[in-house]
Amino acid sequence: MLLAQVSDLHVCAPGRTLGGGVDTPAMARACVQALLALRPAPQALLLSGDLVDAGGPAEYAHLQRLLQPLPWPLYPVAGNHDERGALREAFGARMGPHSALMPDFLQYAADLGPLRLLVLDTVVPQRPHGALCARRLAWLGERLREDDRPVLIALHHPPFATGIAHMDAMGLLEGAEALEDLVRRHPRVQALLCGHVHRSIQTRFGGAVASVCPSPAHQIALNLLGQGEDGFTLEPPGFQLHLWHAQRLVSHTVPIGDHGGTRPFA
Ligand SMILES: [Fe+2]
Ligand SMILES: [Fe+2]
């Protein structure tokens, strides 16, 4: 099983760019081309939140057009820049086969063959930070008890502090400890796949791997422990590939752009 993860596209309406001149639609187009060029091709695509920048219907319509060439089942996650209702409506028929969809949160389960994907919704409307309330955690507990396949959990806000203070201040501020307890009690959880921080970051969480995927657009500047400046950078954009291979999840970060292709060893 090969799952691609793209996070934080921040697509804006046609003819616009983000503040600072970041042309997110053009960068999304480059990402789609890079995904289509992959051999082997992924079998599904996880979109781990902040799919658009301001959450309006024109942005979601634009996102749909940009993603249209991708032939795989799409699994969207709500981020703080998304509008949950508009996101659900925009993806409707385009969402991969799923079950157990919560009526008022974008939480659902998906069958990835040997793996199960459980998508969590950490959105607090109109706020940048994330939360998992008792209902959303109870849903996860039920899903973890009903099937014994290895599990991937997807959520936008990383449930751990990254060391980048201004992002940690808008991290998963409610429910992270309870989530870690649940993960610890269910060792079949292989990984928690997150977005929000626009960099490749990994740690251990409840005995599983927790990781953040870089953005195909702008990256968050590496300001560790306050020894740098807050802001974004135009470091190489990227996405991740998660390969279920030899009973393990192996994750690769792939930079987007023309780097000259593969050259033979001398
Ligand atoms: Fe983002
Ligand atoms: Fe975010």
Side-chain angles (χ1 to χ4, degrees), residues 8 10 50 80-81 156 196 198:
D8 296 85
H10 286 264
D50 288 357
N80 52 299
H81 282 256
H156 180 66
H196 191 52
H198 297 225

Side-chain angles (χ1 to χ4, degrees), residues 137 140-141 144 177-186 189:
L137 287 162
L140 177 62
L144 288 170
E177 260 180 54
L179 175 64
E180 188 160 22
D181 279 349
L182 260 178
V183 170
R184 195 174 286 114
R185 279 188 273 129
H186 293 88
V189 177

Side-chain angles (χ1 to χ4, degrees), residues 59-183:
E59 293 189 340
Y60 284 109
H62 196 195
L63 174 72
Q64 288 302 310
R65 290 199 295 281
L66 291 165
L67 299 181
Q68 203 275 329
L70 300 175
W72 316 301
L74 303 181
Y75 294 107
V77 181
N80 52 299
H81 282 256
D82 291 302
E83 206 282 299
R84 190 183 278 138
L87 174 62
R88 280 178 77 134
E89 204 164 302
F91 273 83
R94 204 49 189 92
M95 227 167 107
H98 58 275
S99 60
L101 178 64
M102 284 186 92
D104 43 0
F105 295 108
L106 188 60
Q107 291 205 164
Y108 57 93
D111 185 345
L112 301 181
L115 300 171
R116 202 161 187 235
L117 174 68
L118 301 178
V119 171
L120 300 183
D121 181 337
T122 53
V123 170
V124 181
Q126 313 296 327
R127 303 299 304 275
H129 69 271
L132 283 173
C133 58
R135 276 187 59 220
R136 283 174 273 187
L137 287 162
W139 178 95
L140 177 62
E142 281 169 39
R143 301 287 85 68
L144 288 170
R145 284 190 296 273
E146 72 189 3
D147 192 303
D148 57 9
R149 274 176 296 173
V151 166
L152 307 181
I153 295 176
L155 68 168
H156 180 66
H157 295 85
F160 59 91
T162 62
I164 302 177
H166 68 106
M167 294 306 294
D168 292 342
M170 53 163 121
L172 186 69
L173 301 189
E174 181 193 328
E177 260 180 54
L179 175 64
E180 188 160 22
D181 279 349
L182 260 178
V183 170

Side-chain angles (χ1 to χ4, degrees), residues 177-249:
E177 260 180 54
L179 175 64
E180 188 160 22
D181 279 349
L182 260 178
V183 170
R184 195 174 286 114
R185 279 188 273 129
H186 293 88
R188 75 174 64 98
V189 177
Q190 304 291 313
L192 297 99
L193 307 177
C194 311
H196 191 52
V197 192
H198 297 225
R199 302 195 66 81
S200 172
I201 305 169
Q202 295 80 32
T203 191
R204 189 173 149 145
F205 185 83
V209 171
S211 73
V212 176
C213 182
S215 169
H218 51 299
Q219 312 306 310
I220 298 292
L222 183 63
N223 178 5
L224 284 182
L225 306 175
Q227 304 297 302
E229 253 184 279
D230 289 344
F232 70 87
T233 77
L234 294 176
E235 287 170 26
F239 58 85
Q240 287 182 330
L241 290 174
H242 304 290
L243 176 68
W244 182 249
H245 179 64
Q247 298 301 306
R248 282 176 199 281
L249 191 78

